Amino acid sequence: MALDTRERVRKAAVKLFADKGFHGTGIRELAQESRLSTASLYHYMGSKEDLLVDIMRTCLQSLRDSATAAVADVRDPVQRLTTLVKLHVKAHARMPKETWIVDNEIHVLSPALRRSVIALRDEYERLWAEAISDGVERGVFDTAHPAVTRIALLEMCNGVARWYSPRGSLSLDDLAEHYADMALRVLGACPHGSAEGQSKSE
């Protein structure tokens, strides 16, 4: 029962933080959405900031771990980046509220907690940085500013959380594929090519 209640509180927080922002969400609203008294709410969540940082860490850890596993044995930077883009797009489409909170509410955290969340984010983004850097070194990506390009691609993919609907004209798989193609074009790579395939044809 306690786990069910904690999950109910977490879901209520995700909904309210995404819809109204952290500072715009009051404790009474959170208690009402969780179907708890204000006094009972504190038992299940600690502080409001504790709840926020737990949402952020859980989301980022899931994203980092999934991405790390997905590219662990992928040497080709084109395939690696394609995999990362697809995973990122699908995560933002499937968890729009959680990812929106991570992307937009990190500034409200106290310094120590902010550093811990940023460290997780940096671990995840390092996978993108390594794929882009490897592609540039091997001549399959063309960008004079890899770090700026990485940020631009992540921002592009983040936007899916704001507008994606399963009732849209593209399935989620097709949407992720399209975003991967766009990302590779930004980097000057052939969307359906690979480092190995290109090197063999040269």
Side-chain angles (χ1 to χ4, degrees):
M1 180 64 71
L3 287 175
D4 291 342
T5 304
R6 289 183 192 280
E7 184 59 23
R8 195 165 75 235
V9 171
R10 188 180 185 280
K11 287 181 178 179
V14 167
K15 178 180 182 297
L16 291 171
F17 291 165
D19 292 347
K20 306 185 70 172
F22 177 76
H23 287 311
T25 300
I27 291 296
R28 288 184 180 179
E29 287 178 290
L30 194 49
Q32 184 176 12
E33 186 71 28
S34 304
R35 304 192 304 277
L36 294 169
S37 68
T38 302
S40 297
L41 181 65
Y42 283 107
H43 173 71
Y44 290 102
M45 75 171 207
S47 71
K48 194 170 73 163
E49 187 183 41
D50 290 336
L51 193 51
L52 176 64
V53 79
D54 178 66
I55 292 167
M56 290 181 167
R57 284 174 176 162
T58 299
C59 183
L60 282 169
Q61 286 168 350
S62 174
L63 198 55
R64 178 202 61 190
D65 293 348
S66 297
T68 299
V71 301
D73 298 320
V74 181
R75 293 179 57 253
D76 177 15
V78 172
Q79 293 179 6
R80 211 151 77 227
L81 189 72
T82 296
T83 299
L84 291 170
V85 170
K86 289 180 179 180
L87 186 149
H88 196 87
V89 167
K90 289 180 179 180
H92 278 66
R94 290 167 175 157
M95 301 186 298
K97 292 184 182 296
E98 290 91 338
T99 52
W100 187 93
I101 291 168
V102 171
D103 294 335
N104 293 277
E105 293 292 308
I106 197 167
H107 66 282
V108 308
L109 296 174
S110 58
L113 290 176
R114 189 184 309 128
R115 284 193 295 271
S116 70
V117 172
I118 288 174
L120 278 173
R121 186 189 66 188
D122 289 349
E123 288 176 16
Y124 170 66
E125 291 191 10
R126 192 173 299 120
L127 297 170
W128 286 64
E130 290 171 352
I132 294 172
S133 175
D134 191 19
V136 170
E137 289 177 4
R138 297 172 66 177
V140 294
F141 292 159
D142 181 17
T143 174
H145 305 285
V148 174
T149 303
R150 168 177 51 81
I151 293 169
L153 292 177
L154 284 163
E155 286 294 323
M156 178 182 77
C157 296
N158 290 349
V160 170
R162 293 192 294 272
W163 60 264
Y164 171 74
S165 169
R167 297 184 296 276
S169 59
L170 290 177
S171 70
L172 184 51
D173 284 343
D174 287 342
L175 180 67
E177 184 76 35
H178 182 58
Y179 265 70
D181 285 355
M182 288 193 294
L184 293 177
R185 291 184 190 280
V186 167
L187 286 162
C190 175
H192 302 292
S194 68
E196 280 77 3
Q198 290 180 15
S199 62
K200 288 177 182 178
S201 65
E202 290 174 354

